[in-house]
Amino acid sequence: MLNIVVVGGGAGGLELVTKLGRKLGRKKRANVTLVDRNRTHLWKPLLHEVAAGSLDSGLDALSYRSQAAYCGFDYQFGEMCGLDRDKKQVLLSPVIENGVELLSARCIDYDILVMAVGSISNDFGTEGVKEHCIFLDNPDRAHYFHQRMLNRFLQFSVKSGVDLEHPSDEGKVRIAIVGGGATGVELSAELHNAAQQLKAYGVPHVSNDCLDVTLVEAGPRILPALPERISSSAHKELANMGVDVRTETMITRATAEGLTTKEGELLKADLMVWAAGIKCPEFMRDLGGLESNRINQLVVRKSLQSTQDDQIYAMGDCASCPLDDSGKTVPPRAQSAHQMASCVYANILASIEGKPQKDYVYKDYGSLVSLSNYSTVGSLMGNLMSGSMKVEGRIARVMYISLYRMHQIALYGYVKTGLIMLVGRINQVLRPKLKLH
């Protein structure tokens, strides 16, 4: 029987393996396997909400094991470390927890392989970043930031010798975020919402006045992937909240005290988040002799097949796919991964049936950025219109939420997604609005 292996259960990978399982796995037309180093899936654009505490990942996360049983595919817990193209095997590292080896190194046979491992933050080799900054690459790191943030607010609320009602800059809870993309901007806004919620739940002296958030961007403006008028609108909203937005500011070093800029200024911070740039894991570099680029993405043709092997596809953030004839590549966005999943699904079925492969064509439906409960800004239609349409406020917020609902529908179907939405509304009444533990 045909063996189809998908490595990576992110937005695109999980949608793809769910479709393949329903179409081929249930009917015993192929063995469909998902490999992921995590046990649960959480939509990556929500990680900033987990970090701030406005989302409880324990309620929203999806179990790979249950999804596999329900949709007709197999789930293998583990982390890919290599590829043997001659034997057509995916190599998995041993699984070690608390110093104990739970699973030994394994090999998984494949006939068709799909790489969908996503991306991680790129520190660009900046001194001290790995030691002192937090990367919001997965739910575990988001939880870690959340615990550090709660502990810092707790320290502030019981601190003696400081005017808690009118704190000076030295007495505030100082958080620095490097990277003015969607993650950095959304987290900046969400932190101010978290401070307000902590005040509402009776944490002494905590409010926006005690929070000092600095957002650092090396480029001339935040949200560089969006039109300038959208970027300016978001910049203004953040400034009104009290966020110190620093553009054209290069970070050269991170220490326990804070971040040092190229000009030598020290931006003092208790917590530092690095959300600037992406790259793929190191094992992706020259994986199995496949062509990769400088950030370890696999170079693929427009059919999303690797340039060296027709039986290996790559999609999402880990794929360097040509956008057009200009030399540009498809941007690493959630909508790209969603579209690529549909293309790879169609091409795998075409391959099985002996039909030609179709090229992937990126469709830019625009981008939306949530500024927590304060606002939502963005542009719609992208390159589908001669000029993108600016949206903000309540309409943009509804559209932003609908992106997540579309992802849930792809995984659960309409009925189950509707029930999840109903439970979510009930939890808004029964549970705190902020995760306090």
Side-chain angles (χ1 to χ4, degrees):
M1 191 181 294
L2 185 71
N3 293 313
I4 303 173
V5 177
V6 179
V7 181
L14 186 56
E15 287 184 18
L16 173 62
V17 80
T18 296
K19 283 184 173 182
L20 290 172
R22 289 169 177 166
K23 181 71 173 182
L24 303 175
R26 283 178 176 173
K27 299 175 182 178
K28 306 299 180 182
R29 294 176 57 191
N31 294 318
V32 182
T33 302
L34 171 67
V35 176
D36 199 280
R37 63 180 180 177
N38 300 303
R39 291 183 171 89
T40 59
H41 162 80
L42 185 72
W43 201 46
K44 196 170 182 179
L46 296 177
L47 287 179
H48 71 280
E49 295 189 24
V50 177
S54 53
L55 178 72
D56 188 343
S57 63
L59 297 176
D60 281 70
L62 176 150
S63 166
Y64 288 129
R65 182 68 68 189
S66 65
Q67 184 75 355
Y70 183 71
C71 296
F73 63 88
D74 182 38
Y75 162 62
Q76 290 288 333
F77 176 55
E79 184 172 6
M80 183 177 181
C81 62
L83 176 67
D84 189 330
R85 286 173 55 205
D86 293 330
K87 296 181 179 179
K88 285 197 168 185
Q89 291 182 329
V90 173
L91 312 179
L92 303 185
S93 301
V95 176
I96 300 175
E97 289 190 3
N98 300 320
V100 178
E101 183 176 286
L102 300 181
L103 298 172
S104 59
R106 292 162 290 155
C107 300
I108 299 177
D109 296 327
Y110 73 87
D111 296 300
I112 296 175
L113 173 63
V114 182
M115 297 299 300
V117 296
S119 62
I120 58 177
S121 298
N122 191 347
D123 63 8
F124 305 104
T126 307
E127 181 184 351
V129 169
K130 289 182 180 179
E131 294 79 12
H132 300 288
C133 295
I134 300 172
F135 303 123
L136 297 184
D137 293 329
N138 56 61
D140 287 342
R141 301 310 295 169
H143 282 301
Y144 175 71
F145 174 87
H146 179 64
Q147 290 299 316
R148 290 277 306 275
M149 179 193 75
L150 288 180
N151 290 341
R152 187 66 191 93
F153 274 117
L154 176 63
Q155 289 176 316
F156 175 86
S157 67
V158 298
K159 185 180 290 186
S160 60
V162 175
D163 185 355
L164 296 173
E165 297 299 330
H166 303 90
S168 64
D169 289 342
E170 291 296 323
K172 292 184 177 182
V173 176
R174 300 168 300 185
I175 300 176
I177 303 167
V178 181
T183 299
V185 169
E186 291 180 325
L187 179 60
S188 298
E190 205 66 55
L191 289 172
H192 278 273
N193 178 53
Q196 292 285 59
Q197 294 297 332
L198 284 171
K199 178 182 180 181
Y201 285 111
V203 180
H205 313 295
V206 169
S207 68
N208 277 335
D209 293 334
C210 75
L211 181 63
D212 185 4
V213 177
T214 302
L215 178 62
V216 182
E217 168 58 40
R221 62 186 178 91
I222 61 173
L223 302 175
L226 293 180
E228 187 169 355
R229 64 185 184 278
I230 304 296
S231 171
S232 299
S233 179
H235 190 140
K236 183 178 179 181
E237 290 281 356
L238 291 176
N240 289 339
M241 293 178 210
V243 177
D244 180 13
V245 182
R246 304 282 192 100
T247 55
E248 297 185 290
T249 303
M250 182 81 69
I251 299 300
T252 58
R253 187 186 180 201
T255 65
E257 292 183 348
L259 302 167
T260 302
T261 69
K262 188 177 181 180
E263 291 73 27
E265 180 185 3
L266 176 62
L267 304 177
K268 294 184 178 181
D270 307 304
L271 283 171
M272 292 166 280
V273 174
W274 191 274
I278 67 163
K279 66 177 182 179
C280 294
E282 286 301 318
F283 81 86
M284 292 280 287
R285 184 181 298 277
D286 301 321
L287 179 68
L290 299 174
E291 183 182 2
S292 59
N293 63 12
R294 59 182 178 81
I295 59 171
N296 305 333
Q297 290 175 313
L298 291 185
V299 180
V300 297
R301 301 191 290 271
K302 289 187 177 181
S303 62
L304 299 178
Q305 294 167 297
S306 71
T307 56
Q308 305 295 320
D309 193 327
D310 288 347
Q311 302 307 310
I312 298 178
Y313 297 82
M315 53 175 281
D317 289 4
C318 74
S320 176
C321 177
L323 180 62
D324 48 38
D325 296 330
S326 66
K328 295 181 180 179
T329 57
V330 175
R333 296 181 181 175
Q335 62 176 301
S336 307
H338 173 75
Q339 295 170 24
M340 286 180 173
S342 297
C343 180
V344 172
Y345 172 72
N347 278 345
I348 288 177
L349 295 184
S351 176
I352 293 173
E353 297 169 0
K355 296 180 180 179
Q357 302 282 285
K358 294 183 179 180
D359 288 347
Y360 166 63
V361 179
Y362 174 62
K363 297 179 181 179
D364 185 0
Y365 293 108
S367 299
L368 295 167
V369 177
S370 171
L371 303 180
S372 188
N373 294 334
Y374 303 98
S375 182
T376 300
V377 298
S379 60
L380 296 182
M381 302 309 289
N383 59 17
L384 299 183
M385 297 175 61
S386 58
S388 57
M389 179 175 63
K390 176 181 176 181
V391 293
E392 52 187 324
R394 188 172 184 83
I395 293 177
R397 180 64 181 173
V398 170
M399 292 178 175
Y400 181 87
I401 295 173
S402 71
L403 297 176
Y404 181 42
R405 298 307 180 198
M406 289 173 60
H407 176 61
Q408 289 179 309
I409 289 170
L411 300 179
Y412 300 113
Y414 286 96
V415 174
K416 201 169 182 180
T417 299
L419 293 174
I420 290 172
M421 292 171 63
L422 176 61
V423 171
R425 297 290 292 182
I426 295 172
N427 278 331
Q428 287 180 0
V429 178
L430 298 180
R431 300 178 65 87
K433 293 182 179 180
L434 188 75
K435 193 169 184 286
L436 301 169
H437 58 279

